[in-house]
Amino acid sequence: MHVVRLAHETDFDGWRQAARGLRARKVPPEAALWTVDGEATLFGNAAEPVQPTDIRADFRVPKAFVDLAARVILHRSNERFTLLYRLLWRLHDERDLMHIASDPDVARANHFAKEVSRAAHKMKAFVRFRLAADEGGEAYVAWFEPAHRVAEATAPFFARRYANMRFSILTPDACVHWDMVELSFTAGADPADAPSEDALEDYWRTYYASIFNPARLKVGAMQMEMPKRYWRNLPEAALIPELIAQAQGRTDTMVRQAPTEPNRRVVKTAVRNSRDAPWDGQAPTSLAEVAAGVDHCRRCDFWRDATQGVPGEGPPGARLLFVGEQPGDQEDLAGKPFIGPAGQVFDRALAEAGVPRTETYVTNAVKHFKHELRGKRRIHKTPDAGEVAACRWWLDAERRIVRPRVVVALGATAGLAVFGKPTPIGKLRGQALQLSDQAQGVVTYHPSYLLRLPDAAAKAEAYAMFVEDLRYAWALAA
Ligand code: URA
């Protein structure tokens, strides 16, 4: 019996290297025993060293198999290493094996991979952070028990999604840490390491109750989507039995009351008042709450077609806060503001003006991408005044939390959001305008406007004024 000892449960590189070595030496699957470091075996603990020289250079496996194996290895089944090695063994003589979906080994591996993908999806949907402070300041902690070992695989998603928030996700298998610069991993944790009570729980409960539509209740589907095993860690889960119990009555009331057309005057007033209206009863108090809230915001309809809400980016306490119009195509996909073509112009101008972007807070008047489809292309559409007003709740929250000295409106839509009325840029640029929260306001061109100017001389002139305005705003904020 050839014993292979892997460094840990998800040691894909170790498995790969050992598997290739065993295959090269023609060790059949039934003669290989796979263990993980620390596991005692009937055959003792002496794992066989696999030398790179054992690997035959001409042995190639299809990429589809490597991709599949990388997922299967995250499955909790003890059978996974052997199953994968059996597939690898067979691939030598059955080159098309991976295309035979009915083959029991292929079917089993595909099934495992599917379960792993599902576990990753659930983890992305159901991780809930709680606020915790440590000597480094504000940090967020989540406890989660994924069905399979997907903590490390999903970590880049959380780092992208919550780039501006220090967090740890603790799981029994591995813990993920993000310090706003890089990801790191430590050994699995005990549930006791996760703080259990905090304000975010109420926030989530309120949110969940607000999106719960009794008329669409399907208990079976809901439990499949949010299996009971996850309820334990979800603050909103406490509401589920009550909401289910009330559902029929609430549906009957909705049906009895159902007006088909919204009253235009009521809608207009609601939009006008939306900046002061509490969002689900609670104003966000941290940028992480803003980020979570923006992504789930239903204040207007843009969320339906957007990939995600795009919150602002930058440190709380930034002296300068920039407001753009709305995320564009690339920002919508990445979940970050000003990273596409307009973002590149913006970055270049900031550099020329001597303004370090990382010390500023960059956001948009509207947090979801408004667009229309033309063929496969998503074409930007300018948000109207009502939509800007509806989204101002989030901009106001960001301003309250960041407390900048100077707010710079980039373009007319941002001007409307920041000053509450149209701001002619040519007339008002380059001056400090008093805002109601003690900050000073500055209005300048939007970087996309500079990109669109057809005349090279006009473009260069407007760009120079833009750089000048950025320099002015930075000095004003000093
Ligand atoms: N234009 C904007 O106004 N904001 C972005 O984030 C990107 C493009």
Side-chain angles (χ1 to χ4, degrees):
M1 182 61 72
H2 296 252
V3 182
V4 180
R5 193 178 329 134
L6 300 172
H8 51 84
E9 297 281 0
T10 56
D11 181 10
F12 182 53
D13 290 340
W15 176 86
R16 236 177 133 175
Q17 194 184 1
R20 292 180 71 196
L22 291 174
R23 186 66 188 83
R25 281 179 291 141
K26 299 196 170 50
V27 175
E30 54 283 5
L33 180 67
W34 298 86
T35 66
V36 172
D37 208 12
E39 276 177 14
T41 75
L42 273 180
F43 304 89
N45 253 349
E48 189 168 307
V50 178
Q51 302 301 331
T53 49
D54 293 333
I55 300 168
R56 224 175 58 197
D58 65 344
F59 184 48
R60 294 266 177 274
V61 290
K63 183 172 177 308
F65 172 73
V66 179
D67 294 345
L68 180 75
R71 278 193 291 153
V72 169
I73 215 119
L74 307 181
H75 200 279
R76 288 202 191 275
S77 165
N78 290 335
E79 188 199 325
R80 66 197 184 287
F81 300 127
T82 304
L83 170 67
L84 289 175
Y85 182 57
R86 198 160 55 240
L87 280 168
L88 180 88
W89 174 264
R90 293 180 56 197
L91 273 168
H92 195 268
D93 300 319
E94 302 172 58
R95 299 295 299 168
D96 289 331
L97 178 60
M98 297 316 292
H99 298 298
I100 307 173
S102 58
D103 179 275
D105 285 342
V106 175
R108 187 126 184 94
N110 282 334
H111 174 66
F112 280 2
K114 216 169 172 179
E115 289 192 326
V116 166
S117 298
R118 191 170 160 76
H121 168 75
K122 296 289 175 208
M123 180 154 178
K124 290 177 189 172
F126 296 139
V127 160
R128 298 287 184 270
F129 289 100
R130 304 163 195 285
L131 188 55
D134 63 11
E135 63 289 351
E138 194 177 77
Y140 289 82
V141 182
W143 169 256
F144 194 75
E145 293 170 54
H148 298 287
R149 298 185 178 94
V150 292
E152 284 152 285
T154 53
F157 164 84
F158 288 103
R160 277 196 308 276
R161 182 72 196 73
Y162 300 106
N164 295 325
M165 147 181 157
R166 245 168 18 101
F167 67 74
S168 293
I169 304 174
L170 315 180
T171 82
D173 314 307
C175 299
V176 177
H177 310 278
W178 170 247
D179 63 2
M180 302 198 282
V181 179
E182 61 181 4
L183 279 167
S184 56
F185 303 93
T186 52
D190 196 273
D193 295 337
S196 61
E197 282 300 323
D198 79 332
L200 284 188
E201 295 211 354
D202 287 342
Y203 168 82
W204 274 108
R205 276 199 208 108
T206 316
Y207 161 68
Y208 189 79
S210 77
I211 59 160
F212 182 84
N213 181 347
R216 294 175 62 192
L217 176 64
K218 291 199 180 79
V219 178
M222 185 164 126
Q223 286 183 357
M224 253 179 80
E225 199 37 50
M226 192 196 270
K228 277 200 161 159
R229 64 192 303 269
Y230 297 113
W231 287 20
R232 208 147 37 101
N233 300 317
L234 298 177
E236 70 269 31
L239 298 175
I240 293 174
E242 194 188 334
L243 290 170
I244 291 175
Q246 292 170 354
Q248 191 55 52
R250 283 177 64 190
T251 308
D252 293 347
T253 312
M254 274 164 69
V255 170
R256 271 200 309 277
Q257 291 176 347
T260 45
E261 273 293 325
N263 179 316
R264 283 173 161 274
R265 202 160 46 83
V266 172
V267 170
K268 236 174 149 179
T269 315
V271 168
R272 203 172 48 240
N273 292 342
S274 65
R275 76 169 277 230
D276 303 318
W279 183 73
D280 299 332
Q282 259 187 323
T285 54
S286 71
L287 293 176
E289 282 183 24
V290 171
V294 156
D295 198 26
H296 293 97
C297 181
R298 303 292 183 260
R299 295 185 147 238
C300 72
D301 262 352
F302 297 167
W303 63 274
R304 288 184 194 285
D305 298 323
T307 309
Q308 58 194 314
V310 179
E313 187 178 52
R319 285 178 284 152
L320 196 52
L321 183 149
F322 288 104
V323 184
E325 185 198 75
Q326 63 163 354
D329 184 71
Q330 294 192 31
E331 288 79 10
D332 167 80
L333 296 173
K336 287 166 170 288
F338 279 108
I339 54 150
Q344 282 164 25
V345 175
F346 183 46
D347 282 345
R348 184 154 61 88
L350 283 172
E352 281 182 39
V355 183
R357 175 165 170 170
T358 48
E359 289 179 30
T360 69
Y361 189 84
V362 179
T363 191
N364 280 299
V366 169
K367 307 294 198 252
H368 281 99
F369 179 31
K370 180 181 182 185
H371 62 275
E372 65 184 11
L373 273 181
R374 281 202 214 133
K376 287 196 173 153
R377 293 188 61 213
R378 303 193 300 168
I379 308 295
H380 160 276
K381 282 184 81 180
T382 305
D384 67 28
E387 290 153 353
V388 170
C391 210
R392 194 163 151 170
W393 163 257
W394 297 112
L395 178 61
D396 285 351
E398 288 173 306
R399 279 173 61 179
R400 257 194 327 271
I401 295 161
V402 176
R403 300 174 68 83
R405 293 186 193 165
V406 175
V407 179
V408 181
L410 303 169
T413 304
L416 191 60
V418 172
F419 299 98
K421 57 183 183 205
T423 45
I425 297 170
K427 197 163 132 210
L428 295 177
R429 61 164 282 275
Q431 28 178 316
L433 306 162
Q434 191 58 52
L435 292 168
S436 57
D437 60 358
Q438 303 306 313
Q440 312 259 42
V442 171
V443 60
T444 186
Y445 301 114
H446 190 283
S448 302
Y449 166 75
L450 306 174
L451 276 174
R452 281 196 308 269
L453 280 174
D455 177 72
K459 197 181 231 162
E461 192 187 348
Y463 179 77
M465 289 193 272
F466 182 56
V467 173
E468 195 183 302
D469 291 345
L470 300 184
R471 201 177 284 124
Y472 169 74
W474 183 238
L476 193 63

